[in-house]
Structures are given as structure tokens and as C-alpha cells.
Amino acid sequence: MRKSNVPKFASPIFDPMFFVLIGTSLLCALLIYVREVQEVDYFQYRFLLWNLFLAWLPLIFSILALLLTRVAKGWDLAIGLTILGVAWLLLYPNAPYLTTDFIHLVSNPNYDKHLAETLRFWFDLVLFFLFSWCGLLLGYISMRHFHSIVSHYVHSWIGWIFVVVVSFLGGFGVYLGRVTRLNSWDVLFNPFRLIEGVLEGINKDAAIFTILFGMLILIVYVTLFTLGSNRLQNAQAAESGHS
């Protein structure tokens, strides 16, 4: 590792964005409840809650990685970050995967031209968008954590290579989940199915899908990263101006 000092990463738990994500997730759950109350025995979209739970897992592992940098050093830190990093990489596609759930809204036969003009359609549209946006934010923050770790311990430009590579690996992971129907836990419980699914995923359609979603992940990350950097620079400039 390039540096031996303990990095001064911001506390991931007390980051305001962390509470925004909690609030957004609770709002998503509330909207699902309201949707079911509106229509008796309507549980069609309850699967979104499970997908949202899975989208939280990479953030949990990235937070653990940041906390590890505060209590470990040397080889213990290197081994711990490697284990957490691999686990995070396997779970990361669960976050942007939420964007593909729009397929359930698009392919719903109940939404004909007439129903598309009703309030129910727009309610469901906002519902799916919030779940999707929450997944993208969860993916962004968890990648931001590992981006800062790689940049600190290796090099800043290696950190950006890491972001680009993970973005497109994430795009391929979304393809494996949506099209091949693989799960993150297949690595442990069904590795042969995982290998078979990956081999099946090496084709033209998978490549195009991977590029599209890789670009989506990367553009969202760079946009939010830039906004955060500009906010930090403005805050520093304002503070120096008052001093």
C-alpha cells in the first residue's frame, strides 16, 4: 500500500446522504403500502422491496470497508479490504439493477392507452422512478467509498480506472441478473451455474447491454461526483473568504 497513515475519510454513517437514502427507502416502502391499500390483494410490485434490500448490501460492505481503515493496518487491512472489496463487487450490480425493474411497468398489459391517462399510471411511474433513483444513489455512494480507498492507498488515477472498470463490470452484472437470471449468492451456492451463465453472457447482445448500462452507471457517478466536488470547493472558498 502506498500510504501507512490512517486516512481521514468522512464518517459514512453520519453523512447526510445516508439519511436521505434511509428516508427515500422508507418513502418507497410507504408508496408500496399505499398502492396495496388502494387495490385489495394487489401485491404485484412487492418484489421491489426485496430488490431495494439487495441494493443496500453493497453500501453496507463499503461502509464496513471505510470503518476497517480506522481500526486495521498493514496486512490485516490489506486482506480485509480485499475480502470486502470482492464481496462488494459481487453485490454492486444489485444497486443499478433497480433501473431495469421499469420493464414490469412497460410490459404491464393493464396500462393501455386509456389507463396511461389515469392517476394510477403516474403513481406507479413515480414509484418505479424512486426505486430506480434510490438504487443509483446507493450504487454511487458505495462506489464513492471504494473510489476514495483506492485513490488513497494506490493512486488517484488508479482510482478513476477502478471507477470505469467497475461501471462496466456492473453493467455486465445487471445483464446477468436481468437476462440470465443469476444472483450474487450463486458465487457461493451455485458456482457452476454462475460460470455457465457468464459464458452464455459472452455474446453481442450482452456486450451492447453491458456498454449501455456501463455508460449509465459511469455518467451518473461522474455527474454526482462532480456536483459533490463543486459543492466542497464552494464551501472551502466561502470559508477562506470569511477567514
Side-chain angles (χ1 to χ4, degrees):
M1 291 186 176
R2 185 171 64 89
K3 297 183 179 181
S4 59
N5 61 303
V6 177
K8 296 181 180 179
F9 297 125
S11 175
I13 298 177
F14 296 103
D15 186 339
M17 201 61 166
F18 182 76
F19 295 101
V20 170
L21 282 170
I22 292 178
T24 305
S25 298
L26 292 175
L27 176 60
C28 288
L30 176 62
L31 290 178
I32 289 290
Y33 172 75
V34 171
R35 188 71 172 84
E36 294 179 0
V37 169
Q38 286 180 336
E39 297 187 23
V40 180
D41 297 330
Y42 189 89
F43 308 110
Q44 184 178 3
Y45 297 146
R46 188 171 287 188
F47 67 88
L48 289 170
L49 296 175
W50 172 249
N51 289 347
L52 181 59
F53 166 76
L54 295 177
W56 269 90
L57 295 181
L59 180 59
I60 292 174
F61 275 85
S62 68
I63 289 176
L64 290 176
L66 284 185
L67 295 178
L68 183 66
T69 62
R70 301 188 176 194
V71 299
K73 59 182 179 180
W75 282 108
D76 290 338
L77 177 60
I79 294 173
L81 287 179
T82 299
I83 294 174
L84 290 173
V86 171
W88 171 79
L89 184 60
L90 293 173
L91 293 169
Y92 173 77
N94 290 321
Y97 178 87
L98 276 168
T99 60
T100 67
D101 283 329
F102 269 108
I103 190 65
H104 297 284
L105 185 64
V106 174
S107 61
N108 192 328
N110 294 323
Y111 296 124
D112 55 23
K113 183 177 180 180
H114 175 70
L115 285 177
E117 299 173 358
T118 65
L119 182 60
R120 190 180 74 176
F121 172 81
W122 298 111
F123 183 97
D124 288 350
L125 182 64
V126 172
L127 173 71
F128 274 83
F129 179 82
L130 285 176
F131 271 93
S132 175
W133 179 239
C134 195
L136 290 173
L137 287 179
L138 287 166
Y140 163 74
I141 295 178
S142 67
M143 190 188 292
R144 182 70 183 89
H145 291 165
F146 273 99
H147 181 191
S148 63
I149 290 173
V150 173
S151 297
H152 178 86
Y153 287 112
V154 187
H155 198 280
S156 59
W157 66 270
I158 295 294
W160 279 108
I161 292 178
F162 169 83
V163 168
V164 173
V165 171
V166 169
S167 294
F168 288 95
L169 286 178
F172 184 60
V174 173
Y175 174 85
L176 294 178
R178 172 53 66 190
V179 180
T180 313
R181 307 307 295 169
L182 291 175
N183 298 304
S184 301
W185 50 84
D186 285 330
V187 175
L188 297 177
F189 301 108
N190 204 346
F192 294 106
R193 180 174 180 269
L194 176 65
I195 294 174
E196 181 181 355
V198 171
L199 293 177
E200 290 178 359
I202 302 177
N203 55 66
K204 180 180 178 181
D205 290 344
I208 296 174
F209 189 103
T210 298
I211 292 173
L212 288 173
F213 275 83
M215 288 191 303
L216 172 64
I217 294 170
L218 184 59
I219 289 173
V220 169
Y221 184 86
V222 172
T223 301
L224 295 177
F225 181 91
T226 303
L227 289 174
S229 298
N230 290 339
R231 184 184 64 179
L232 179 61
Q233 292 175 0
N234 293 334
Q236 291 175 344
E239 183 177 349
S240 62
H242 288 296
S243 59

